[in-house]
Amino acid sequence: MGALASLTRLSLQGVSFVAFAGLAQLTALQELSVDGYLSGTSAELAVLAALPRLRLFRWLNRKQPPADADAALPGGPWLASLESLIAVIYILANSLPVLAAATQLQLLGIGGTVTANRVFEVIAWASQCSSLRHVLFSGYETGDLNVLLEAQRGRPDVRFEDRRDFASL
């Protein structure tokens, strides 16, 4: 793993918890994109706390519904460098208390389909996040996106948009 420790960008596809757990040794990592079938537990996500330079975390979880509906991102110093976060709605909504430490967060991507309540929670938080400049949505019905219009009125400096595909980010 010695040479891998200097990696700054990593994209994983079809990964499992076993592969994800090994990431804690990649402390130089700045961008991590995960497209997999993780169960979405807090234990899987805890590895992020060991990545102090992470600027972008993109997790497109293909497993719905989540195995752990209470799973959340870990707190810790890794949040201080985070500029872009793209994840499924239940992880974001459960993580709102720790995301206050993400003072550099500029882009928030919200994916998945869940009840509107969880979307409203995240939008309310995003409206109060002063560093945020761009909020993307994917996987929502057009009617649900009316919340975007309301959010845009409250924060004209933030770009809210429907995005069907997060894979290119």
Side-chain angles (χ1 to χ4, degrees):
M1 193 74 128
L4 294 178
S6 63
L7 278 178
T8 58
R9 295 177 72 182
L10 183 61
S11 179
L12 301 171
Q13 296 193 2
V15 296
S16 67
F17 173 67
V18 174
F20 204 57
L23 295 176
Q25 298 173 29
L26 305 180
T27 56
L29 207 58
Q30 295 177 19
E31 295 182 15
L32 176 59
S33 294
V34 180
D35 187 351
Y37 295 85
L38 302 174
S39 59
T41 65
S42 291
E44 289 173 334
L45 297 167
V47 71
L48 296 172
L51 304 175
R53 295 182 178 96
L54 201 63
R55 291 183 301 111
L56 177 142
F57 178 56
R58 181 178 67 100
W59 179 30
L60 303 177
N61 188 6
R62 305 296 180 202
K63 187 170 186 169
Q64 295 285 340
D68 180 1
D70 296 324
L73 296 169
W78 77 281
L79 291 166
S81 62
L82 193 64
E83 297 173 0
S84 299
L85 174 60
I86 300 164
V88 292
I89 184 69
Y90 74 93
I91 292 292
L92 294 173
N94 293 341
S95 303
L96 294 179
V98 300
L99 286 178
T103 57
Q104 302 301 312
L105 190 64
Q106 296 175 29
L107 182 142
L108 182 66
I110 305 168
T113 54
V114 292
T115 63
N117 293 3
R118 303 309 314 254
V119 176
F120 295 139
E121 288 176 55
V122 174
I123 289 296
W125 178 87
S127 296
Q128 301 301 313
C129 180
S130 62
S131 61
L132 205 56
R133 296 294 169 251
H134 203 162
V135 178
L136 304 173
F137 288 80
S138 180
Y140 295 93
E141 298 298 322
T142 306
D144 293 336
L145 295 176
N146 287 331
V147 71
L148 291 177
L149 298 173
E150 288 301 315
Q152 185 68 57
R153 284 189 201 107
R155 284 288 305 274
D157 59 323
V158 177
R159 185 171 157 200
F160 291 83
E161 71 178 277
D162 180 15
R163 175 109 180 217
R164 293 293 168 212
D165 181 22
F166 287 153
S168 63
L169 296 175

